Amino acid sequence: MKVSRRAFSKGCVLAASGLAIGEKMQVWAQVQGEHIQASDAHPVPAIQDTETAAQKNERMQWFREARFGMFIHWGLYAIPAGRWDGKEVPGIGEWIMNRASIPVADYKALAPKFNPTSFSAAEIVGLAKSAGMKYIVITAKHHDGFAMFDSKANPFNIVQATPFKRDPLKEIAEECRKQNMKLGFYYSQDQDWTAPGGAAYKTGDHQPPTYHWDPAQNGSFPEYLRTKAIPQMKELLANYGDYPVIVWFDTPTKDMTPELAGEIVKVLNEHPKLIWNNRLGGGYKGDTETPEQYIPAQGYPGRDWESCMTMNDTWGYKQDDTNFKSTETLLRNLIDIASKGGNYLLNIGPMATGEVPAPEVDRLQQMGKWLAVNGESIYATQPTLFGAEAGSFSTTEMDKNGKPKFIPSWKWRSTTGVDKVYIQLFEWPAPVFHLDKMPRHVTGAYLLADKARTPLKVTKTGNGLDVALPEQPLDPIATVLVLQTA
């Protein structure tokens, strides 16, 4: 089962909607089979409504070239780490307050216990760098309302409410500058479970219209937006120099009307180089599609997009979740996404100490080793010239929406350069790799991991070609064949 940050158990919560099965569904996330609705008419025009195509291309260029980024979910929820009152709470770690119906006062009592003295911005940014990642997006405030930065707008933050007294975002920003890493901030603009008036999704027996579970949560949503959320967004956009380059919104509800979203857009428009996603709400499409925990069968032609995914089944640290994907799966995901023109935003969930769990470190370092050799076939590439290699839609099987189910194939993928076509081979087809049709003229071939770039024999066969391969692959996960083109 694909686990979104909102889809914990199909029997309890309908994926990504926050509504019990049988209730009318409205899409707030972008899990498989769902699309966030957007409109063309807005009370406040956004940058996407007014810029030229050339201006957009310039603004989005670094993002399109990056292909691989680090998502960081870190906050007070790392202290209970999935357990409350001695019991494991079902679902993902950062949703424990909602899932366990923890009263506001009890949750806020975690703050004095939060002292992540093992946190090292240099180590985390260095880990992203060693993994071959080009940007980081970190949770500045998740749905629990706790700010992981120094906020004058609201005292429930890591500097004022904890013994740590440091601003991790400031330290990460400084390290990103030193290590040439882009930095973005995730901000939960809509849901806030500790601020009066903040929105909440329904889980369990939480009742409409607010789905709150504690009277302390009640209040005015517009008041929350104007006294906490918007002032904090202004702080995030003003206090960290040239960062953030991305603002990553999440889980808008019906409370986020076009007019209220427009108040946020006014702030965003003051930063014309900023990139922001399609989860603001109020009908704004943003810059990027955000498929969550899945890779779209054919990408999003004509749209920039980014698959956000976890290494195990949780975003925020959860001590009982050891269901980690293999390095092979993670690398295949990266290659698959790049072949379809998207970015891979891969999550880590640091512990309450500030340390990154060892299985996550190990996998990122292994991915970095592959990219150190084969990154040329990922960064700044264009999508495949082919397409059928990714798989096909079944003529007999249907998905949950009654549409033909996509059946992936995992033999190879392809990305495209200016004068090269890259073939990432998952299954070694020795002695020959065959293409039925090649839309470019091929002038030579070699394996990217071969430092000598030993020429491989290319034989044209009608509209296609054959490339003679050595007996064994050069990498156990994916060996990259380079076709030089003219």
Side-chain angles (χ1 to χ4, degrees):
M1 178 183 175
K2 299 286 192 302
V3 182
S4 84
R5 67 194 70 229
R6 285 147 304 279
F8 313 121
S9 171
K10 191 173 182 180
C12 300
V13 180
L14 190 60
S17 69
L19 301 177
I21 291 174
E23 293 188 63
K24 184 178 179 181
M25 185 179 76
Q26 189 167 356
V27 176
W28 309 125
Q30 200 163 350
V31 296
Q32 195 160 8
E34 297 178 350
H35 180 72
I36 297 175
Q37 298 300 315
S39 61
D40 293 327
H42 306 122
V44 177
I47 185 72
Q48 299 88 354
D49 301 320
T50 60
E51 67 186 343
T52 66
Q55 288 171 330
K56 180 171 184 176
N57 289 337
E58 181 180 359
R59 185 167 61 89
M60 299 299 297
Q61 182 178 353
W62 77 261
F63 181 86
R64 293 170 179 170
E65 293 177 351
R67 290 291 179 242
F68 193 23
M70 173 183 281
F71 217 172
I72 304 175
H73 279 68
W74 188 38
L76 291 185
Y77 40 81
I79 295 176
R83 295 181 185 179
W84 195 257
D85 288 337
K87 299 177 182 178
E88 182 181 359
V89 178
I92 44 183
E94 73 283 4
W95 271 70
I96 191 169
M97 182 182 178
N98 187 308
R99 289 287 288 165
S101 301
I102 300 170
V104 170
D106 291 352
Y107 192 83
K108 284 190 170 183
L110 293 173
K113 304 174 185 177
F114 193 51
N115 193 22
T117 54
S118 295
F119 165 74
S120 168
E123 290 182 7
I124 288 180
V125 177
L127 176 62
K129 191 86 170 179
S130 68
M133 293 163 155
K134 300 299 184 181
Y135 63 105
I136 292 171
V137 178
I138 184 171
T139 49
K141 177 178 81 83
H142 206 267
H143 310 325
D144 63 353
F146 182 72
M148 291 291 289
F149 62 98
D150 186 9
S151 173
K152 302 299 186 291
N154 188 279
F156 190 44
N157 67 74
I158 192 168
V159 174
Q160 296 183 49
T162 79
F164 191 55
K165 304 295 182 188
R166 287 161 48 190
D167 183 340
L169 269 56
K170 180 180 180 182
E171 295 177 24
I172 286 178
E174 290 172 353
E175 277 300 323
C176 282
R177 290 186 192 94
K178 291 178 183 177
Q179 300 192 41
N180 193 28
M181 182 76 60
K182 301 284 188 182
L183 177 63
F185 296 149
Y186 168 112
Y187 189 87
S188 178
Q189 78 286 1
D190 205 310
Q191 289 200 89
D192 190 312
W193 304 327
T194 51
Y201 280 178
K202 174 182 172 59
T203 62
D205 61 356
H206 300 164
Q207 297 300 307
T210 65
Y211 302 116
H212 291 161
W213 55 93
D214 182 344
Q217 298 169 312
N218 296 336
S220 162
F221 180 77
E223 182 81 2
Y224 148 73
L225 207 64
R226 291 164 183 153
T227 60
K228 182 178 180 181
I230 291 176
Q232 285 192 331
M233 287 183 225
K234 289 180 177 179
E235 290 176 328
L236 289 169
L237 290 166
N239 295 344
Y240 298 89
D242 48 350
Y243 298 134
V245 294
I246 292 174
V247 172
W248 218 97
F249 295 114
D250 202 10
T251 65
T253 71
K254 66 182 185 303
D255 295 317
M256 187 63 75
T257 63
E259 291 72 26
L260 290 175
E263 293 187 27
I264 296 174
V265 169
K266 289 178 184 177
V267 177
L268 301 176
N269 284 347
E270 295 175 7
H271 304 269
K273 294 183 179 180
L274 194 65
I275 294 171
W276 46 282
N277 67 5
N278 63 343
R279 299 191 185 191
L280 171 60
Y284 286 92
K285 66 180 180 179
D287 293 303
T288 55
E289 299 290 324
T290 54
E292 182 170 321
Q293 296 286 41
Y294 80 101
I295 302 168
Q298 297 172 316
Y300 291 91
R303 281 283 282 166
D304 293 289
W305 62 278
E306 173 187 64
S307 278
C308 56
M309 305 177 83
T310 55
M311 285 198 216
N312 49 359
D313 292 326
T314 186
W315 301 88
Y317 176 67
K318 189 175 182 184
Q319 58 192 304
D320 296 308
D321 185 348
T322 58
N323 187 33
F324 289 96
K325 301 170 185 68
S326 66
T327 301
E328 179 179 21
T329 295
L330 298 175
L331 273 173
R332 284 190 175 193
N333 285 348
L334 173 61
I335 295 165
D336 189 26
I337 290 166
S339 77
K340 297 169 182 175
N343 286 13
Y344 190 23
L345 188 61
L346 184 59
N347 186 71
I348 64 169
M351 297 180 284
T353 60
E355 299 166 288
V356 180
E360 297 177 356
V361 173
D362 292 343
R363 283 157 177 77
L364 290 179
Q365 289 177 340
Q366 291 167 23
M367 294 181 78
K369 290 178 181 177
W370 186 89
L371 282 164
V373 175
N374 299 288
E376 177 189 318
S377 74
I378 301 295
Y379 307 122
T381 57
Q382 297 297 312
T384 178
L385 296 175
F386 312 104
E389 71 275 11
S392 61
F393 288 95
S394 174
T395 58
T396 57
E397 292 187 70
M398 301 294 159
D399 63 19
K400 64 180 181 180
N401 297 313
K403 297 180 180 180
K405 184 178 181 180
F406 185 76
I407 309 298
S409 173
W410 290 103
K411 293 183 178 180
W412 59 279
R413 291 291 186 272
S414 179
T415 52
T416 311
V418 175
D419 56 3
K420 293 172 184 169
V421 172
Y422 302 97
I423 309 291
Q424 295 91 2
L425 295 164
F426 303 133
E427 292 185 8
W428 194 242
V432 170
F433 174 73
H434 174 75
L435 284 172
D436 290 330
K437 187 176 182 180
M438 179 62 198
R440 289 185 179 181
H441 175 63
V442 175
T443 59
Y446 61 90
L447 298 179
L448 191 53
D450 178 8
K451 293 180 180 180
R453 296 195 171 183
T454 306
L456 302 174
K457 182 181 179 182
V458 178
T459 304
K460 295 180 181 179
T461 56
N463 292 326
L465 56 78
D466 290 330
V467 181
L469 298 175
E471 185 176 339
Q472 297 296 327
L474 300 187
D475 188 278
I477 294 176
T479 298
V480 181
L481 169 64
V482 182
L483 303 178
Q484 297 167 295
T485 63

